[in-house]
């Protein structure tokens, strides 16, 4: 499904306006991480579990440091930086940087306003990222999300991304306990 929301290149003037994107999410499920270790033998298992109460994000918008990082990447001009704008309001951001050291395209941010989800905008942005990466002879799109962002996990899986790793100490010393573990995705081109 092709979106009807206009997509255009991100500009420096757009950076303060990124706060217009309501990227918060609610999740009634998560991917529970079970970990077992025996010396150097380690195993992780992910299973879908209900969340009661549901997880409701409260800090998913880009903070000042993250906006500065977007500015740095945009100025370096070695990536794909797009926004979707509807009725004079930003409703999506795609922030992709080439990682030359491993010939990949790192998707730093794909933010879709909650009122514009399930309308094809996410697919359109990932399609554009994949096309850009192919044009630049990169071997994959890579990204990170959280086990409690269940809808995003389902979206990446449905699109064709493969789970390629996790870090159970990425956000805190007890990511498994707080049910928010970083998982990494790979989309081979």
């Amino acid at each position: 499904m092709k979106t009807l929301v206009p997509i255009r290149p991100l500009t420096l003037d757009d950076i303060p306006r990124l706060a217009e994107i309501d990227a918060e999410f609610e999740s009634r499920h998560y991917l529970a991480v079970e970990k077992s270790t025996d010396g150097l033998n380690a195993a992780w298992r992910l299973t879908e579990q209900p969340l009661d109460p549901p997880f409701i994000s409260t800090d998913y918008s880009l903070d000042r440091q993250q906006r500065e990082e977007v500015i740095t990447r945009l100025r370096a001009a070695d990536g794909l930086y797009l926004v979707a704008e509807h009725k004079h309001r930003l409703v999506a951001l795609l922030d992709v940087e080439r990682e030359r050291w491993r010939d990949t395209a790192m998707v730093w941010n794909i933010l879709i306003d909650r009122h514009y989800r399930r309308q094809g905008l996410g697919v359109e942005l990932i399609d554009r990222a994949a096309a850009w990466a192919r044009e630049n002879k990169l071997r994959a799109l890579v990204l990170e999300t959280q086990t409690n962002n269940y809808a995003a996990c389902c979206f990446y899986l449905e699109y064709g991304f493969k789970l390629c790793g996790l870090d159970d100490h990425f956000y805190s010393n007890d990511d498994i306990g707080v049910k928010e573990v970083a998982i990494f995705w790979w989309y081979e081109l």
Side-chain angles (χ1 to χ4, degrees):
M1 165 174 38
K2 192 121 175 141
T3 182
L4 299 176
V5 178
I7 298 171
R8 63 170 174 77
L10 173 72
T11 67
L12 289 172
D13 289 339
D14 293 321
I15 300 299
R17 296 183 56 214
L18 293 176
E20 297 172 5
I21 302 169
D22 180 2
E24 302 299 334
F25 65 93
E26 180 177 324
S27 190
R28 297 183 180 284
H29 294 87
Y30 78 111
L31 297 174
V33 177
E34 300 169 15
K35 179 181 180 179
S36 61
T37 59
D38 180 17
L40 291 177
N41 295 315
W44 291 265
R45 181 171 180 248
L46 299 174
T47 58
E48 177 190 343
Q49 299 291 325
L51 274 171
D52 188 23
F55 175 82
I56 300 173
S57 67
T58 58
D59 60 352
Y60 214 64
S61 298
L62 300 179
D63 63 24
R64 183 176 181 206
Q65 178 182 341
Q66 291 167 319
R67 288 191 306 271
E68 289 296 324
E69 291 166 356
V70 172
I71 290 169
T72 299
R73 290 190 290 272
L74 183 59
R75 284 183 173 148
D78 196 15
L80 180 65
Y81 311 98
L82 302 173
V83 289
E85 187 171 15
H86 189 245
K87 297 182 179 179
H88 307 291
R89 185 168 80 82
L90 296 184
V91 298
L93 166 68
L94 177 69
D95 170 16
V96 179
E97 177 185 36
R98 179 195 324 249
E99 290 187 315
R100 290 185 182 275
W101 66 276
R102 64 179 184 159
D103 291 327
T104 60
M106 178 65 181
V107 180
W108 285 104
N109 291 291
I110 179 167
L111 303 177
I112 311 292
D113 188 282
R114 73 170 76 199
H115 302 291
Y116 289 81
R117 294 179 189 152
R118 299 189 177 279
Q119 298 177 29
L121 193 50
V123 171
E124 177 72 19
L125 290 172
I126 293 294
D127 283 349
R128 289 185 185 208
W132 175 85
R134 283 186 188 99
E135 288 169 12
N136 285 278
K137 311 240 184 301
L138 302 177
R139 62 191 181 107
L141 296 177
V142 295
L143 57 86
E144 169 267 327
T145 193
Q146 309 79 29
T147 53
N148 60 3
N149 193 344
Y150 187 74
C153 293
C154 291
F155 169 78
Y156 298 132
L157 185 64
E158 186 175 307
Y159 191 91
F161 281 81
K162 305 289 186 219
L163 278 171
C164 65
L166 65 83
D167 184 339
D168 59 17
H169 289 79
F170 199 70
Y171 307 116
S172 73
N173 286 340
D174 188 27
D175 290 353
I176 292 174
V178 298
K179 301 176 182 170
E180 185 174 24
V181 175
I183 53 177
F184 300 88
W185 297 86
W186 185 270
Y187 184 77
E188 190 169 330
L189 300 170

